[in-house]
Amino acid sequence: MQFLIYLLVYPILWLISILPFPILYLFSDFVYFLIYHIIGYRKKTVRENIALALPHLSVQERLIIEKKSFQYLCDMFLEMAKTMTISQSEINKRYVFANIETYLELEKKGKSIALMCAHYASYEWVLSMNNHITFKGYGIYKKIANPYFDKLVKNIRARFKAYLITTKETKSTIEQNAKNNILGVFGFASDQTPRRSDTMHWDSFMGIETPIHTGAETLAKRYDMNVIYLKGKRVRRGYYEATFEVLSDDIKSIPDFQLSENFMRKVEQQIYEAPEFYLWTHKRWKHKK
């Protein structure tokens, strides 16, 4: 059954990927109308999340953000499909790293790097960073249940020299690299809800007490990795710009959890600046005090 689903869906994804960008975005407008106005995909979750995070806004202001976020969600997922066939030169033109030299200076310090970012503004196209760096790039992801689509996603990332590892493989991969003196950069999208446990660290995110991910900080301390933050923003439809900020080049001197909390402050700032480009469809605040 899984293979049959793959056979049915793959040709559609490929056809989407070869569409010229103007037609791709016309199709995205149609998908938005279908998803938002007809199906109502996760509309309740998005509305509740925006109300929780932005209570200072009026109902009408939040509704505008809600609609814009669904419009962008459709753009983003079609752009993800576009990654199947987009050329390196085209993605380099559309996803620009404004201060790549900040990252490259960190490489010179001779330590592996934990790159922290949010589910914000075409986070999938961050993989094009591998066209500009020296270290081996790893993207940490949740394994897809359908093994054929899981393999497809890995193959797409490999086009841009990005290696996907599951959350369960992260620790062992970093440890093995450290033993073999292989320097790498590991991408952690650490803004969503962590798995519930008795050891969760709680922090205020968008004014709400909620557990936050601390895995990137824990692994960075254990293996003495430097930490950098990537802030992405949409310049205009189909074009993005990312900037880097070093969070730590001496991780062991930072008190426990401070780096994770600093990261959440950075994500908050991004959301307040342009909330429509955040991924609101996940239940970010399902664990609250």
Side-chain angles (χ1 to χ4, degrees):
M1 178 59 72
Q2 290 182 327
F3 184 58
L4 178 61
I5 294 171
Y6 175 77
L7 288 178
L8 292 172
V9 174
Y10 177 82
I12 298 172
L13 294 175
W14 186 82
L15 287 171
I16 290 171
S17 78
I18 63 173
L19 291 175
F21 273 99
I23 298 175
L24 183 84
Y25 291 124
L26 283 176
F27 182 55
S28 180
D29 291 339
F30 167 74
V31 173
Y32 160 71
F33 179 80
L34 185 67
I35 292 293
Y36 183 78
H37 292 285
I38 306 301
I39 299 174
Y41 170 75
R42 295 199 179 185
K43 188 185 289 187
K44 181 181 178 182
T45 298
V46 171
R47 188 165 295 174
E48 289 175 349
N49 280 343
I50 294 174
L52 276 171
L54 304 169
H56 59 287
L57 299 181
S58 68
V59 173
Q60 185 60 33
E61 287 172 324
R62 294 200 298 266
L63 183 61
I64 291 170
I65 292 169
E66 176 185 307
K67 290 179 178 179
K68 285 183 176 180
S69 73
F70 272 98
Q71 289 172 333
Y72 178 66
L73 183 71
C74 296
D75 278 5
M76 183 183 69
F77 277 102
L78 292 181
E79 287 169 357
M80 287 167 58
K82 188 71 175 173
T83 313
M84 293 174 66
T85 56
I86 194 171
S87 67
Q88 288 194 2
S89 60
E90 182 70 19
I91 201 169
N92 288 345
K93 181 176 72 175
R94 290 178 172 273
Y95 200 100
V96 175
F97 297 90
N99 63 335
I100 191 67
E101 65 279 357
T102 299
Y103 166 82
L104 294 175
E105 282 298 316
L106 204 59
E107 278 196 348
K108 294 176 182 178
K109 295 184 181 292
K111 295 181 181 180
S112 285
I113 299 170
L115 182 147
M116 301 184 73
C117 64
H119 289 82
Y120 187 97
S122 193
Y123 54 90
E124 287 288 338
W125 276 6
V126 175
L127 61 85
S128 64
M129 177 180 165
N130 291 285
N131 296 330
H132 308 281
I133 68 176
T134 302
F135 283 9
K136 190 173 182 178
Y138 296 87
I140 300 165
Y141 82 118
K142 186 176 181 180
K143 190 172 184 178
I144 300 171
N146 186 312
Y148 303 100
F149 283 111
D150 191 71
K151 187 174 186 298
L152 174 64
V153 169
K154 287 184 175 181
N155 289 341
I156 293 170
R157 300 305 184 271
R159 292 185 62 229
F160 299 91
K161 298 180 286 186
Y163 301 87
L164 289 188
I165 54 175
T166 65
T167 50
K168 292 181 179 179
E169 296 170 327
T170 305
K171 179 180 176 294
S172 60
T173 302
I174 295 174
E175 184 175 18
Q176 194 64 33
N177 278 11
K179 288 180 180 178
N180 295 325
N181 295 316
I182 299 173
L183 296 174
V185 53
F186 295 83
F188 293 84
S190 302
D191 55 307
Q192 294 293 328
T193 305
R195 182 178 298 177
R196 190 173 184 87
S197 73
D198 294 333
T199 59
M200 290 189 304
H201 179 68
W202 293 75
D203 185 33
S204 175
F205 178 47
M206 303 298 290
I208 305 159
E209 284 293 315
T210 185
I212 64 171
H213 279 284
T214 58
E217 176 181 343
T218 300
L219 290 170
K221 285 190 172 184
R222 182 175 298 173
Y223 297 101
D224 194 22
M225 302 165 67
N226 290 326
V227 186
I228 199 165
Y229 175 70
L230 181 143
K231 178 184 179 181
K233 71 173 183 178
R234 189 168 84 154
V235 178
R236 64 184 191 273
R237 201 173 197 183
Y239 290 86
Y240 302 87
E241 181 179 272
T243 55
F244 294 99
E245 182 179 340
V246 177
L247 293 183
S248 174
D249 58 2
D250 184 17
I251 185 68
K252 294 186 177 180
S253 69
I254 297 178
D256 288 347
F257 307 122
Q258 181 177 309
L259 186 137
S260 299
E261 292 177 1
N262 289 347
F263 165 72
M264 299 309 294
R265 301 292 81 75
K266 300 291 184 185
V267 177
E268 287 175 337
Q269 182 183 5
Q270 275 188 275
I271 294 172
Y272 284 128
E273 288 175 2
E276 62 268 31
F277 302 126
Y278 189 58
L279 187 66
W280 294 105
T281 50
H282 287 54
K283 292 185 178 181
R284 178 59 188 86
W285 291 277
K286 61 183 171 183
H287 308 308
K288 300 190 295 291
K289 282 188 177 179

